[in-house]
Amino acid sequence: MYLTKREEKMLAGEEGRAVKKSMEILVALGRIFGADKLIDISSVQVAGVSYHNLGDAGLEYLNELAKDGRVKNNITATLNPAGMDLKDWKKLGIPDRFAAKQMQVIDSFRKLGLEITCTCTPYFIGNKPKPGEHIAWSESSAVAYANSVLGARTNREGGPSSLASALTGKTANYGLHLDENRKAEVLVNIGSGVELRTVADFGALGHAISRKVKNKVLYIKGIKKASVEQLKAFCASTATYGGTALFYMENATPEYESAGVPKDNVAIEKRDIKESYDFLNDDCEPDFVSVGCPHASLKELEKIASLLKGKKVKKEFWIAVSRPIKELAASKGYVKVIEDAGAKLACDTCMAVAPLKGRFRCLATNSAKACYYGRGANGFKTRFCSLEECVKLAVR
Ligand code: F3S
């Protein structure tokens, strides 16, 4: 792999130990995946922020990097959700010991120069790359959103490799950075009988497609339109269950005219969507309701406030959201309505990365991705339904 003179020096340690370590990671990845060179990036999204996932070994690694590592100038560098609300963690029942460790993790990221905006929807809060920009993101739903909805270019990075990109301003030139790997591989025909109305329906669609095709660039035909919220739910679901990092959706995402003609095709019919709903629904009575996976938009908070107005929740009810969107929602009065109803805005975190194992038995959610993590990491049973149904389950 070709390295410029300056990159050689970075690799040799002339710009410090953190840059050296980061270059070693990027060069190793480049060699494994056959990259010809490194390229400059403009934005990173770093996953692996929750102490729940990092543990002491991860914290030690960050502390080491923070001794002399700093995010390169001109790079927008944001963080994925942490294991707790960084201000109101007590309200979410997070143990003190965990909170102390989580704050050490955040301090290390702060020293490294990352913006402490812990969210999986960075594109709602200013980390929104332009079409064609090369970036290094490591949150699977955000990766799918960046490639497919924003038209930017990123591989599915891991936490360490995206952090390495932040500290060097580089990534290896392979995979979805290259035109030839961005051509559609499988045509997905959505049958005319398929009704896609809610955010949950788009999550079910992602799940249904993933049962038929995995790890391919998709060309999806037959959807008349899709909102930002529906697209973010689809991204989360198709990335989680199908490993999708890039899709084209006719009439809804950019560049679909130049996506190429796929050789293979699959069909999705009404019964496929029903089977996904059946798969994601267990027979259980929810004791925990969580929406905002990926983190809620302002429009979703407005909707939740309208559904909760004048009501009281009887179950633990979390709405995961970024802090800037919560503040915007507060200025419009939505937060007061939601909190008066007894629901909780879970800022900076979510039900998948917070330490919740053993606290609940049955999660109700409108996110197919949340079902995956609720079942897998936390051992919950799941109920998968629309936002309206989730609110009904929370207040009954
Ligand atoms: Fe975001 Fe957590 Fe869902 S990181 S995509 S809210 S599992």
Side-chain angles (χ1 to χ4, degrees), residues 80-81 119-121 139 141 236 292-295 320 349-353 367 369-370 373:
N80 224 36
T119 180
C120 47
T121 52
E139 203 292 310
S141 73
C293 170
H295 275 181
T349 189
C350 76
M351 57 78 230
V353 294
S367 164
K369 176 173 179 175
Y373 284 99

